[in-house]
Amino acid sequence: MKVLVIGATGKIGRRVLKSLAKSHQVTALIRYPELQAEYEKMGARVLTVDVEKELDKGIHEATSGQDAVIIAATAGADGSSKEIELLDRNVAMKAIDAAKKERVRHVVLLSAYGADQPDAAPKEHFNFLSANNAADEYIEHSGLNYTIICPVTIVDGPGKGSIEASEDLSDASDATISETDVATIIAASLDNRGLYGRRIEVKSGSTPINEALDFDSRGEVATGGRTTLRRPQR
């Protein structure tokens, strides 16, 4: 499978790329030319794009001919307003547009737990969750086969390899998940047709990742995303 990883230089995107490069034809979209050789050594085809100046052209060039696209570009909850707007909103939406134009089979979008209700979050996280809210809503109405991954608070450290996953996760206010496990979830979602049309909330848990993501065996029908998603105003 030909897979484009957007946000490949981030901690999660890098782990996703290294995992997929073992069995897929992976293209890495990166911002920094000095990293090209490093990513090529991982087995990736590399496209360097200045997403501040050539986003439209670069995204479409990168997406052309791909079977799947992983959108993992994020400034994080502690990122600056400028980076959040650029990565979590603009890059995500432009990538969705490009994937639709190129008829990509599956798009996996990294979002965040709480993105469906930005107003309920601490004020300092509003911009981040609002941007992810907009990208979530945009892909839900795109007509694409999509999967949205919404991790709770992400922490450093090795993965447990076990999680809890649900379209409506409960008791997640103080929950965490390692960036390693998030990357594993994204990679595992790629070939999982049972996750098409789903917005999955994930946290560290006791169920092996592949089992936790096997929604078909539970007999749960995909809801096609949450119809309650809204663009908040503040």
Side-chain angles (χ1 to χ4, degrees), residues 140-227:
E140 285 182 348
H141 292 90
S142 67
L144 290 163
N145 290 323
Y146 68 84
T147 304
I148 305 171
I149 304 299
C150 303
V152 296
T153 301
I154 299 173
V155 295
D156 295 333
K160 287 180 58 178
S162 56
I163 62 169
E164 182 177 339
S166 172
E167 290 192 277
D168 190 11
L169 202 60
S170 60
D171 301 323
S173 57
D174 296 318
T176 62
I177 188 169
S178 75
E179 58 192 22
T180 303
D181 281 338
V182 174
T184 302
I185 291 165
I186 292 172
S189 299
L190 194 62
D191 295 322
N192 189 337
R193 291 178 177 269
L195 296 184
Y196 283 11
R198 294 188 190 272
R199 178 183 182 278
I200 308 298
E201 298 175 346
V202 294
K203 67 178 182 178
S204 185
S206 57
T207 305
I209 288 175
N210 284 333
E211 182 180 337
L213 297 178
D214 187 4
F215 281 76
D216 278 350
S217 68
R218 306 181 204 174
E220 297 182 25
V221 177
T223 62
R226 292 188 177 185
T227 57

Side-chain angles (χ1 to χ4, degrees), residues 75-97:
D78 297 324
S80 69
S81 295
K82 180 180 178 181
E83 284 291 290
I84 288 171
E85 186 70 15
L86 174 65
L87 300 177
D88 292 273
R89 189 190 300 265
N90 293 344
V91 168
M93 287 185 169
K94 293 294 184 181
I96 292 164
D97 285 340

Side-chain angles (χ1 to χ4, degrees), residues 2-234:
K2 295 180 180 179
V3 184
L4 171 66
V5 180
I6 299 172
T9 55
K11 291 182 178 180
I12 292 172
R14 180 185 174 91
R15 283 183 166 87
V16 171
L17 184 142
K18 288 183 70 175
S19 174
L20 294 179
K22 299 173 184 177
S23 55
H24 297 280
Q25 297 179 50
V26 180
T27 298
L29 184 70
I30 66 175
R31 299 172 70 180
Y32 310 109
E34 61 271 23
L35 296 178
Q36 180 170 342
E38 178 183 349
Y39 278 78
E40 287 175 342
K41 287 181 180 179
M42 295 182 201
R45 169 177 172 255
V46 178
L47 288 177
T48 303
V49 175
D50 184 339
V51 293
E52 294 188 65
K53 298 179 180 179
E54 51 185 8
L55 179 57
D56 286 3
K57 178 182 177 182
I59 286 285
H60 280 276
E61 179 184 351
T63 306
S64 178
Q66 301 294 334
D67 298 310
V69 172
I70 292 170
I71 307 172
T74 179
D78 297 324
S80 69
S81 295
K82 180 180 178 181
E83 284 291 290
I84 288 171
E85 186 70 15
L86 174 65
L87 300 177
D88 292 273
R89 189 190 300 265
N90 293 344
V91 168
M93 287 185 169
K94 293 294 184 181
I96 292 164
D97 285 340
K100 185 174 182 179
K101 182 178 179 180
E102 297 296 332
R103 299 184 179 182
V104 171
R105 292 207 309 259
H106 187 202
V107 179
V108 180
L109 174 66
L110 175 61
S111 182
Y113 181 83
D116 57 327
Q117 295 183 328
D119 289 308
K123 184 177 180 180
E124 61 269 23
H125 292 162
F126 176 81
N127 287 343
F128 173 67
L129 294 176
S130 177
N132 280 275
N133 178 309
D136 290 0
E137 185 179 64
Y138 200 64
I139 200 169
E140 285 182 348
H141 292 90
S142 67
L144 290 163
N145 290 323
Y146 68 84
T147 304
I148 305 171
I149 304 299
C150 303
V152 296
T153 301
I154 299 173
V155 295
D156 295 333
K160 287 180 58 178
S162 56
I163 62 169
E164 182 177 339
S166 172
E167 290 192 277
D168 190 11
L169 202 60
S170 60
D171 301 323
S173 57
D174 296 318
T176 62
I177 188 169
S178 75
E179 58 192 22
T180 303
D181 281 338
V182 174
T184 302
I185 291 165
I186 292 172
S189 299
L190 194 62
D191 295 322
N192 189 337
R193 291 178 177 269
L195 296 184
Y196 283 11
R198 294 188 190 272
R199 178 183 182 278
I200 308 298
E201 298 175 346
V202 294
K203 67 178 182 178
S204 185
S206 57
T207 305
I209 288 175
N210 284 333
E211 182 180 337
L213 297 178
D214 187 4
F215 281 76
D216 278 350
S217 68
R218 306 181 204 174
E220 297 182 25
V221 177
T223 62
R226 292 188 177 185
T227 57
T228 55
L229 276 176
R230 58 196 181 280
R231 294 176 185 263
Q233 302 294 322
R234 177 171 292 187

